[in-house]
Structures are given as structure tokens and as C-alpha cells.
Amino acid sequence: MQYDGDGPAFNNIKTDQEINDFFTTYFKDILEHIPDLVEQYKTNPAPPLGTVRCSPWNAYDKSLLIGDSAHAIVPFYGQGMNASFEDVVVFDKLIDEHENWSDAFKAFSTNRKPDADAIADLALDNFVEMRDSVANPNFQLKRQIEMRLEAAFAKAEYQSKYSLVTFPQEGISYREAMLKGRAQDKAILWLLENDHIKVEDDLNDLLKSIQQKTAEVLWLRG
Ligand SMILES: Cc1cc2nc3c(=O)[nH]c(=O)nc-3n(C[C@H](O)[C@H](O)[C@H](O)COP(=O)(O)OP(=O)(O)OC[C@H]3O[C@@H](n4cnc5c(N)ncnc54)[C@H](O)[C@@H]3O)c2cc1C
């Protein structure tokens, strides 16, 4: 549901009656579970969604930001908690690799930032994709091709951008997933738009065309 605008929108729900009417119309089954729904709705306003981008994350050799405090992201990839857990794994490794806290803090702040920026950008990408692209015919064909390839080939041979981010092979970082995933998206859409591939093509031919075009896009982007 939208926040603003004509028709059903959170910002148009002002009175107790409007709150009741909205939930009775769209979420009727929740009413019995939240008897004080009107009160709860009025005291828990919808907060803004935001991205935290800051640097450095370490200060005075004594403190380090990790998790949402360093890199809160919008929720459209469902990766905020995963990224925060991954921080812990990365930092744990850096503690072993460095002589003192100060160096481990600096290394974490420097090394992890590109991945935090990448998942922040990916989460915003996914918002735009869900808002603008899901009804686009070529986007739908791209998804069909991706689903065919993912069902037929191992992860090492093909993973869509979504899968690269959400179910990566070990060692694939958010930044690597973003670069490869974006290049793949661009490659498949270009191949479709220029009639070089079709959903029903032979799977091996599809994979080869997509891998070649993706490599080209990655090379062009340096
Ligand atoms: C509605 C919602 C759905 C989400 N869904 C997903 C999902 O599906 N998948 C996913 O991966 N992530 C999801 N996330 C994101 C995930 O919850 C966060 O990324 C994750 O909790 C971040 O962990 P954190 O420890 O960095 O911060 P937090 O979990 O926010 O922990 C910070 C803690 O610090 C405490 N605190 C704050 N200020 C102070 C202070 N001054 N003194 C002492 N303590 C303080 C807070 O009370 C809190 O307990 C979701 C988040 C929300 C809000």
C-alpha cells in the first residue's frame, strides 16, 4: 500500500472510523488478534525507511560501529540482519589476523565498507525493480529464463542477481554479487531486446550467450 496519493494510502487514514474501515476492508482476519487496533495504529506511526552511509566506523582506537549502526539499509532485500551477522564473522577473522584492536578496527572499517555500500545499493535496486519492472514484458521473460537456468545448472554456472545476493556460494561478497548480478541483468535484457535469445531456447545455448554477454558488460565496466 502506498503512503500518499489518491485512494487507499496510509496518509489518508486519519480518524478512528477510517482506521477501522481500512483494516476491515483489506486485513479483516487481523482484527480478532489486535483488539486495541485503533489505539496501536495511532501510537505506532509508520517510520521513514532510510539508509545509513557513514565512514569511518572506528574512532579513537576504542570504538567500532557494526550492524545497523554502521550500515542500516532499506528492507527490500531482507538482508539487514544477514549483513550484521556477516559483520561479526568478518570481524572475528580480522581479530585473528591483527595484533591489536586498533588495527582490527581500521581493517574492518576499510574492508567491509564496499560490501555494506553494495547491499545498501542492491536493496534500493530491488525497491525500484519491484515498483517499476515487474509488469514489464522483457523483465518477465528475463525472470522465466533465470528460473529455467537456475533449475538446470549448478550455482557455479548460473545464479540470478537475487540468488547471488540471497543464496551465494561461499566467498561471494555483496559487492561481487552486485557487480555480477547487475551485469547479468543488463546482458539478458539486451539479448532479449535485440532478439538474440528466447525463453524457449536450448538451455546450453542460453547459458553460453548470457555468460558471454555478461563478461562483455563486466569488461566494459572495467
Ligand atoms: C520490520 C523489520 C523487518 C526486518 N526484516 C529483516 C529480514 O527479513 N531479514 C534481515 O536480514 N533483516 C531484517 N531486518 C533488519 C534487521 O532487523 C536489522 O538489520 C538487525 O536487527 C540489525 O542488528 P543490530 O544488532 O545492528 O541492530 P539492532 O537489532 O537494532 O540492535 C541494536 C540494539 O541496541 C539497543 N540500543 C539502542 N540505543 C541504545 C543505547 N543508547 N544504549 C544501549 N542500547 C541501545 C537497541 O535497543 C537494540 O536492542 C528487519 C528490520 C525490521 C525493522
Side-chain angles (χ1 to χ4, degrees):
M1 166 145 119
Q2 56 190 348
Y3 179 73
D4 231 332
D6 295 334
F10 284 115
N11 209 25
N12 298 342
I13 303 170
K14 308 273 190 214
T15 65
D16 291 5
Q17 186 63 48
E18 283 166 349
I19 296 169
N20 260 321
D21 288 350
F22 171 76
F23 281 92
T24 307
T25 308
Y26 296 103
F27 300 105
K28 199 172 179 185
D29 51 347
I30 211 164
L31 296 173
E32 63 172 305
H33 301 291
I34 312 180
D36 58 343
L37 177 82
V38 171
E39 200 47 38
Q40 286 215 29
Y41 186 88
K42 289 197 294 194
T43 49
N44 292 289
L49 295 174
T51 303
V52 170
R53 291 182 202 264
C54 58
S55 178
W57 295 336
N58 57 311
Y60 310 112
D61 297 337
K62 289 188 190 319
S63 54
L64 178 71
L65 299 177
I66 67 170
D68 274 12
S69 62
H71 50 68
I73 55 178
V74 293
F76 304 106
Y77 245 108
Q79 285 290 311
M81 178 66 85
N82 289 346
S84 304
F85 281 144
E86 204 175 83
D87 281 357
V88 176
V89 175
V90 171
F91 187 54
D92 186 46
K93 199 158 165 264
L94 290 171
I95 293 172
D96 291 340
E97 290 171 6
H98 291 84
E99 300 275 308
N100 53 56
W101 289 109
S102 171
D103 288 346
F105 284 179
K106 275 185 209 139
F108 179 80
S109 185
T110 310
N111 299 350
R112 184 72 176 144
K113 175 81 173 142
D115 286 324
D117 284 345
I119 190 58
D121 290 345
L122 282 161
L124 289 165
D125 277 4
N126 221 30
F127 168 69
V128 175
E129 191 164 301
M130 288 190 290
R131 186 193 60 190
D132 295 343
S133 306
V134 285
N136 175 308
N138 273 339
F139 179 86
Q140 291 171 356
L141 295 175
K142 177 173 87 70
R143 283 305 296 153
Q144 288 178 40
I145 288 173
E146 288 177 326
M147 283 191 282
R148 280 192 74 205
L149 292 175
E150 284 185 332
F153 295 104
K155 280 184 178 182
E157 287 173 295
Y158 185 81
Q159 280 191 283
S160 66
K161 183 174 78 179
Y162 184 82
S163 176
L164 278 164
V165 175
T166 312
F167 312 109
Q169 285 180 275
E170 208 178 326
I172 302 279
S173 67
Y174 283 130
R175 184 167 162 75
E176 287 163 327
M178 178 185 75
L179 294 176
K180 184 169 183 191
R182 281 181 174 174
Q184 245 171 214
D185 280 355
K186 203 172 171 63
I188 300 175
L189 286 172
W190 186 90
L191 290 165
L192 278 167
E193 279 156 16
N194 291 282
D195 293 327
H196 290 290
I197 55 171
K198 292 194 172 38
V199 174
E200 58 279 10
D201 281 353
D202 174 80
L203 279 164
N204 287 304
D205 292 343
L206 271 176
L207 182 65
K208 200 170 153 213
S209 304
I210 291 167
Q211 283 176 337
Q212 273 175 357
K213 193 72 197 166
T214 302
E216 217 177 281
V217 175
L218 282 168
W219 182 80
L220 282 171
R221 289 181 175 177

